[in-house]
Amino acid sequence: MDLKERLEQYTAQVEEVVTKYLPPETGYQKTVSEAMNYSVKAGGKRLRPLFMREVYRLFAGGPKEDSRGDSVRAGMEAILVEPFMAAVEMIHTFSLIHDDLPCMDNDRLRRGLPTTWVQYGYDMAVLAGDALALYAFETAARALGGSERPRAVAECMGLLAGKSGIGGMIGGQTVDVELSGKPIDPQRLDFIYRLKTGALLEVSMMIGAILGGADDSQVEAVEKMASLVGQAFQIQDDILDLTGTTEVLGKPVLSDEKNEKTTYVSLYGMEKAREAVRDLSAQAKELLWSLPGDHDFLEYLMDMLITREK
């Protein structure tokens, strides 16, 4: 199986995992569950849970194979990692729901579908985002039930909270919102990128490493690697906002320009931005090769950041 086929198979597996942990659409409050599930099921690359699982496999070993050569997940991976895979995607989705609100980016299209506030109303979109943020930790806590390593699970839950909150994603978003329409110096732009986009990628890979048995120095290397990947991902996003199309991206283009946002492209120009994506990705891959295990698929995921068109 080549790397592209593995990506398709693994993405489908991640989709199954994330869907499995979504809330039931029952009871008087079912509208908020429907809005939560609509938002998560709208799709996406599922990069964060993919990176989490693959980093876990670097340290814990890959999936075993049955007598027919078919991949089967180890039981411990399902118990420990899958709840966190679903949780991080829920947190990512809650951030997108709130990003799209009229008080933020005021976007009406996400992944080719009406955004959550357009589909369910402003009020229900706010509640759906809030609910996903909390349900993510309810989901992650399931890893405690069957785990023989509750301290590692608790550490990962703390990291997930920290990288999602004021010291991570929400902190970066705060600065981004406050400075919208205003000039941003390179230091603040770097801060926004590291926190707003990089933090969730960092915690995804760090959780994979910790649950896989990495030591402290290895977790630190993984965090640095993920930070570089996050910066490359965001700069590529800036590029696509100017060069992509709504049909391909599934969301409005020129959104940054519309909201008068300073981006890496507006500060340094298109060629410098493309060069930065290549350099950051190369640095991340150098760190990857310092880690144990089979790196081929993770390197392929990083390369996607450079070549992706959506």
Side-chain angles (χ1 to χ4, degrees):
M1 186 189 310
D2 65 24
L3 292 171
K4 184 178 180 182
E5 289 172 332
R6 282 174 67 182
L7 175 62
E8 291 172 357
Q9 182 187 84
Y10 289 0
T11 302
Q13 290 172 356
V14 170
E15 196 70 43
E16 288 179 14
V17 169
V18 172
T19 302
K20 179 175 70 175
Y21 284 98
L22 291 176
E25 298 176 4
T26 57
Y28 290 124
Q29 76 277 37
K30 70 177 183 179
T31 303
V32 75
S33 298
E34 290 172 1
M36 293 162 68
N37 295 348
Y38 170 85
S39 306
V40 175
K41 289 179 179 179
K45 304 172 190 67
R46 307 303 190 204
L47 282 175
R48 292 154 191 82
L50 258 177
F51 272 119
M52 183 186 295
R53 191 180 74 170
E54 293 310 306
V55 171
Y56 170 82
R57 288 177 174 178
L58 279 184
F59 296 98
K64 299 176 182 176
E65 292 188 345
D66 62 20
S67 58
R68 297 168 300 176
D70 295 329
S71 291
V72 290
R73 289 193 301 273
M76 190 54 65
E77 181 176 296
I79 292 168
L80 270 181
V81 187
E82 289 188 358
F84 280 100
M85 290 167 62
V88 78
E89 198 65 8
M90 290 174 189
I91 289 175
H92 173 55
T93 303
F94 117 69
S95 75
L96 299 181
I97 293 173
H98 286 183
D99 274 354
D100 291 334
L101 290 172
C103 65
M104 302 279 272
D105 289 346
N106 194 25
D107 281 330
R108 303 183 67 87
L109 197 66
R110 168 76 65 178
R111 294 164 180 158
L113 296 171
T115 50
T116 308
W117 75 269
V118 172
Q119 187 75 7
Y120 287 92
Y122 197 145
D123 50 2
M124 202 54 59
V126 171
L127 290 172
D130 293 345
L132 276 171
L134 294 170
Y135 200 72
F137 287 94
E138 185 177 337
T139 300
R142 297 191 191 188
L144 288 166
S147 172
E148 296 178 355
R149 300 175 59 211
R151 290 177 67 89
V153 173
E155 180 185 357
C156 289
M157 291 180 70
L159 276 173
L160 185 59
K163 294 284 189 180
S164 302
I166 58 173
M169 179 187 70
I170 289 175
Q173 181 73 359
T174 298
V175 179
D176 189 32
V177 169
E178 285 183 335
L179 295 178
S180 183
K182 301 174 184 176
I184 301 178
D185 59 74
Q187 290 75 26
R188 282 184 174 82
L189 186 66
D190 180 63
F191 177 89
I192 292 168
Y193 283 12
R194 283 190 296 107
L195 271 67
K196 181 182 174 184
T197 303
L200 282 192
L201 277 167
E202 288 170 20
V203 78
S204 297
M205 296 196 217
M206 291 171 74
I207 287 172
I210 291 167
L211 296 180
D215 63 33
D216 290 346
S217 65
Q218 289 170 329
V219 173
E220 186 177 337
V222 165
E223 182 178 20
K224 176 61 176 173
M225 176 180 73
S227 177
L228 292 165
V229 170
Q231 291 175 68
F233 184 89
Q234 183 57 57
I235 295 170
Q236 182 68 7
D237 208 53
D238 294 345
I239 293 169
L240 291 175
D241 189 64
L242 291 172
T243 63
T245 65
T246 299
E247 290 74 23
V248 172
L249 296 177
K251 63 180 181 179
V253 295
L254 303 177
S255 178
D256 294 330
E257 188 175 283
K258 177 191 74 176
N259 293 310
E260 300 181 326
K261 286 188 175 180
T262 300
T263 69
Y264 200 94
V265 177
S266 66
L267 269 182
Y268 299 107
M270 184 64 71
E271 189 51 44
K272 280 280 189 183
R274 294 187 192 279
E275 184 181 330
V277 172
R278 291 192 294 267
D279 290 347
L280 290 164
S281 299
Q283 292 175 52
K285 284 190 280 188
E286 188 175 339
L287 279 169
L288 172 63
W289 282 99
S290 73
L291 301 172
D294 179 4
H295 311 93
D296 289 352
F297 184 68
L298 273 169
E299 184 174 1
Y300 178 71
L301 282 181
M302 291 179 187
D303 283 335
M304 282 177 55
L305 300 177
I306 304 172
T307 60
R308 81 184 203 275
E309 297 179 355
K310 60 181 180 178

